[in-house]
Amino acid sequence: MPDQYTRTRAQLGTPALDALRKAHVAVFGIGGVGGQAVEVLARSGVGELSLFDSDVVALSNLNRQLVALHSTLGQYKVDAMAARIADIDPTIVVHANRMFYNAETAADVDLTQFDYVLDCIDTVSAKLLLIRRCKEAGVSILCSMGAANKLDPTAFKVADIEKTTVDPLAKVIRIECRKRRLGKVKVVFSEEPPLPPLADETSEPPVAARRTVPASNAFVPAACGLVCGSEVVKDLLRKAGAKEIHMRVSAPPFVSECYYGTDIDDKNKLIANHHTVEEIAEIIGVDSLGYLSLSDVVKLADHTESGFCTACFGGGYPTSVPQDSNKDRFECKISEREKQESV
């Protein structure tokens, strides 16, 4: 009988879903990164979620945060997220904690009740405190680094804090972790150099903890949150006894631009264009990765009435591609030619 996790079960299997259903994950910080990560956890079937954030939804959150809608303005973010989770799967147990995690409140949180902690806090002192207390409690923790002042959602990597580069927040955390001898800390960080906000366009006053208000957008924090959520899911499966994680994709690797409707006009944005299958597997954190071959796809499409385009898989374009045209201009050219042929 199909249910809302049918597609997930087809990829991970029933034992994996059962393990996720038994897991209790805490997420600290329900903003642009944390909110997206919580969404991943909920839609993956994690059975119990504890959310921590003291902020309410503000107008400036609407450009990037999943919980931010005009209908949720003024609501606590944890409450808005809890309501969203209930609409995704009402059987998930959610604890909405309207609190900011710091030295004054840390003692109120028993970290040992969690199977995993995800840190999406944006203040250094709170991050370091949470890392230290998780280490003391023996609880796995994943920390997100900086997602503001960036434009490249493909630049995120997963690594130990000692192997991070470029990211200014990661540099601070790395130095402080060394001072405190906190050992290995798994993080998600970006290799993109930060871009300073446009001074003439900044109208939001800075808060006490920041000298300037960071610039952000809809896609970079969301991408970071997706990576964070996926890492928590995979780590939970390994913790539950999965010795290995193998991923299979029912299509060949996307290696070339598509000018016919898939909205990809730059092959450099495609991970398979400049990484081997083995490298991609390492980047996404799986033990092996396999794709459907191009020849098998062509066989499956043998009986299609209008043929099958394999250009994006490296199979060659069925029409000439103007070198100076972007996707939209090329679509217009095709459309004009089709009109002429139909006359």
Side-chain angles (χ1 to χ4, degrees), residues 191-207:
E191 292 182 323
E192 178 189 9
L195 301 167
L198 301 174
D200 294 342
E201 299 290 342
T202 304
S203 58
E204 189 179 353
V207 296

Side-chain angles (χ1 to χ4, degrees), residues 21-316:
R21 179 58 63 173
K22 296 174 182 176
H24 185 182
V25 177
V27 181
F28 290 80
I30 314 300
V33 175
Q36 192 69 58
V38 171
E39 180 102 346
V40 170
L41 299 174
R43 292 188 185 275
S44 299
V46 172
E48 190 169 1
L49 295 166
S50 288
L51 315 178
F52 296 84
D53 200 310
S54 62
D55 286 347
V56 297
V57 178
L59 191 66
S60 61
N61 302 149
L62 285 167
N63 78 318
R64 69 195 183 281
Q65 297 190 14
L66 207 62
V67 296
L69 304 167
H70 281 279
S71 60
T72 62
L73 288 174
Q75 294 182 20
Y76 280 95
K77 292 180 182 179
V78 291
D79 294 343
M81 195 73 231
R84 184 177 177 88
I85 295 169
D87 211 12
I88 293 171
D89 183 348
T91 68
I92 295 175
V93 179
V94 182
H95 308 280
N97 300 279
R98 303 173 180 175
M99 64 170 287
F100 178 70
Y101 191 83
N102 56 23
E104 287 70 41
T105 61
D108 298 331
V109 183
D110 178 13
L111 295 174
T112 62
Q113 66 184 299
F114 307 127
D115 297 295
Y116 208 106
V117 168
L118 176 57
D119 157 41
C120 299
I121 306 171
D122 56 6
T123 58
V124 172
S125 59
K127 294 179 93 67
L128 291 168
L129 176 62
L130 186 57
I131 292 170
R132 178 177 66 79
R133 292 182 71 93
C134 280
K135 292 279 186 178
E136 293 171 350
V139 178
S140 299
I141 182 171
L142 172 68
C143 300
S144 68
M145 297 291 103
N149 299 328
K150 303 179 190 300
L151 287 172
D152 187 359
T154 68
F156 287 101
K157 307 289 183 184
V158 181
D160 180 75
I161 188 64
E162 285 296 326
K163 295 182 179 180
T164 57
T165 58
V166 183
D167 189 317
L169 176 58
K171 180 180 179 180
V172 174
I173 298 297
R174 185 171 65 245
I175 293 171
E176 294 302 322
C177 282
R178 286 176 189 166
K179 290 179 181 178
R180 293 162 171 76
R181 298 184 179 181
L182 293 176
K184 291 183 177 296
V185 180
K186 186 175 182 179
V187 303
V188 175
F189 76 103
S190 173
E191 292 182 323
E192 178 189 9
L195 301 167
L198 301 174
D200 294 342
E201 299 290 342
T202 304
S203 58
E204 189 179 353
V207 296
R210 295 192 182 102
R211 286 175 291 182
T212 60
V213 177
S216 196
N217 52 57
F219 43 90
V220 173
C224 184
L226 289 173
V227 175
C228 288
S230 70
E231 285 300 309
V232 173
V233 169
K234 289 182 289 186
D235 284 349
L236 286 172
L237 295 181
R238 288 192 175 95
K239 187 176 180 180
K243 295 181 179 179
E244 297 178 342
I245 297 178
H246 302 275
M247 184 175 182
R248 298 295 178 263
V249 182
S250 57
F254 239 85
V255 296
S256 300
E257 300 95 332
C258 177
Y259 297 93
Y260 308 110
T262 313
D263 296 337
I264 298 172
D265 60 358
D266 183 359
K267 64 183 180 182
N268 293 317
K269 297 177 181 178
L270 300 168
I271 190 171
N273 179 268
H274 47 280
H275 288 286
T276 65
V277 173
E278 291 74 19
E279 288 171 341
I280 298 172
E282 183 176 355
I283 290 169
I284 66 176
V286 296
D287 294 283
S288 76
L289 173 65
Y291 291 89
L292 192 64
S293 70
L294 179 56
S295 60
D296 284 337
V297 169
V298 173
K299 288 179 184 177
L300 292 171
D302 272 347
H303 302 293
T304 56
E305 294 181 1
S306 57
F308 185 74
C309 177
T310 60
C312 58
F313 304 134

